[in-house]
């Protein structure tokens, strides 16, 4: 069942987007879970917006894709925007940075892990991998916070993420605070080593 929205947010960094967007599109084409791709461009000025628009124009017959050009300021709002586009058939929202590379099938596997964990809030893959790897035998474990990955959309609809402004604990622009709220309600952020994420920009901890 296709029950996941995949968000691809961009703000410049065309060199990375050239490498990651084609992989994201293939992820959507081959997925059994991804119902829709939402590309959100935060007023890029280096040709990124045009590159994204050209690529999705070529695949509109293959996947359901929406392009949004909007000044949002930080990645927190990407989650909120995606939640607004989620109808009753959507269970999860997946969101990864524009310099992230996931192996084909990774989103489906992460969704399956959330299916199996009733008390889970969200799940993220292992970061800083040398190469994307899918190991279905790895079980997810509880983690403190996630920065990217899949979130259960019903909790985004019940409580929007409020953007933060400071680094450190607030480096996910309010996403950490949102997770803290639900952790008090007994929900658990998960991390799995079964899906590794290759980060092209090793100097950037978030985008």
């Amino acid at each position: 069942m296709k029950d996941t929205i995949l968000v691809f947010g961009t703000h410049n960094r065309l060199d990375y987007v050239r490498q990651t967007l084609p992989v994201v599109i293939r992820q959507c084409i081959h997925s059994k879970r991804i119902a829709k791709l939402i590309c959100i461009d935060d007023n890029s000025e280096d040709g990124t917006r045009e590159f994204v628009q050209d690529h999705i124009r070529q695949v509109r017959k293959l996947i359901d894709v929406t392009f949004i050009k909007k000044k949002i300021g930080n990645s927190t709002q990407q989650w909120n925007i995606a939640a607004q586009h989620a109808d009753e058939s959507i269970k999860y929202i997946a969101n990864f940075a524009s310099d992230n590379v996931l192996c084909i099938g990774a989103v489906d596997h992460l969704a399956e892990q959330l299916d199996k964990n009733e008390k889970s809030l969200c799940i993220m893959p292992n970061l800083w991998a040398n190469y994307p790897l899918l190991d279905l035998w790895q079980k997810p474990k509880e983690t403190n916070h996630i920065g990217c990955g899949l979130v259960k959309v019903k909790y985004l609809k019940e409580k929007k993420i409020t953007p933060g402004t400071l680094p450190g604990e607030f480096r996910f622009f309010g996403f950490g605070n949102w997770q803290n709220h639900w952790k008090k309600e007994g929900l658990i952020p998960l991390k799995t080593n079964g899906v590794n994420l290759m980060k092209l920009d090793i100097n950037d901890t978030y985008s």
Side-chain angles (χ1 to χ4, degrees):
M1 178 181 179
K2 291 184 177 291
D3 57 4
T4 303
I5 288 176
L6 177 57
V7 178
F8 185 74
T10 56
H11 177 64
N12 297 322
R13 306 208 296 178
L14 178 58
D15 288 345
Y16 294 130
V17 175
R18 289 184 190 276
Q19 301 175 67
T20 57
L21 180 57
V23 179
V24 166
I25 290 173
R26 289 199 298 273
Q27 186 92 232
C28 295
I29 291 173
H30 295 288
S31 173
K32 296 180 180 179
R33 304 294 295 261
I34 299 173
K36 185 182 188 68
L37 171 65
I38 299 181
C39 297
I40 305 173
D41 184 75
D42 191 357
N43 287 356
S44 294
E45 299 175 341
D46 65 346
T48 294
R49 174 175 59 83
E50 293 81 2
F51 177 82
V52 172
Q53 288 179 305
D54 180 61
H55 261 64
I56 64 176
R57 191 178 299 118
Q58 299 176 42
V59 298
R60 285 193 181 278
K61 293 183 179 181
L62 300 176
I63 60 175
D64 184 353
V65 56
T66 295
F67 177 82
I68 299 170
K69 178 180 179 294
K70 183 177 182 179
K71 181 62 180 174
I72 59 175
N74 63 62
S75 58
T76 290
Q77 298 294 11
Q78 295 173 8
W79 296 99
N80 293 329
I81 291 171
Q84 293 171 3
H85 284 77
D87 60 25
E88 293 182 355
S89 69
I90 299 300
K91 291 174 61 179
Y92 308 123
I93 292 175
N95 192 350
F96 300 94
S98 60
D99 67 331
N100 292 168
V101 180
L102 282 168
C103 57
I104 304 302
V107 171
D108 289 23
H109 178 61
L110 292 170
E112 289 170 6
Q113 295 304 310
L114 286 182
D115 289 343
K116 297 174 182 177
N117 290 272
E118 183 179 346
K119 288 295 184 179
S120 61
L121 171 67
C122 48
I123 189 169
M124 72 176 292
N126 186 41
L127 295 174
W128 313 113
N130 292 322
Y131 195 79
L133 172 67
L134 186 64
D135 180 358
L136 299 181
W137 296 106
Q138 292 281 347
K139 294 183 179 180
K141 298 180 180 180
E142 184 175 348
T143 189
N144 190 28
H145 292 104
I146 75 165
C148 63
L150 271 67
V151 165
K152 291 184 176 178
V153 70
K154 65 180 180 180
Y155 299 117
L156 282 171
K157 286 182 174 291
E158 288 184 31
K159 180 177 175 59
K160 289 179 62 176
I161 302 173
T162 303
T165 57
L166 300 174
E169 176 66 16
F170 300 93
R171 66 182 183 275
F172 301 131
F173 301 108
F175 193 29
N177 285 339
W178 178 83
Q179 292 174 67
N180 286 337
H181 167 82
W182 288 113
K183 285 166 69 177
K184 293 177 182 177
E185 301 295 324
L187 296 173
I188 303 170
L190 297 175
K191 180 178 179 180
T192 176
N193 290 324
V195 176
N196 285 346
L197 179 152
M198 181 169 65
K199 195 165 180 64
L200 301 181
D201 185 358
I202 60 174
N203 297 310
D204 187 23
T205 57
Y206 56 84
S207 59

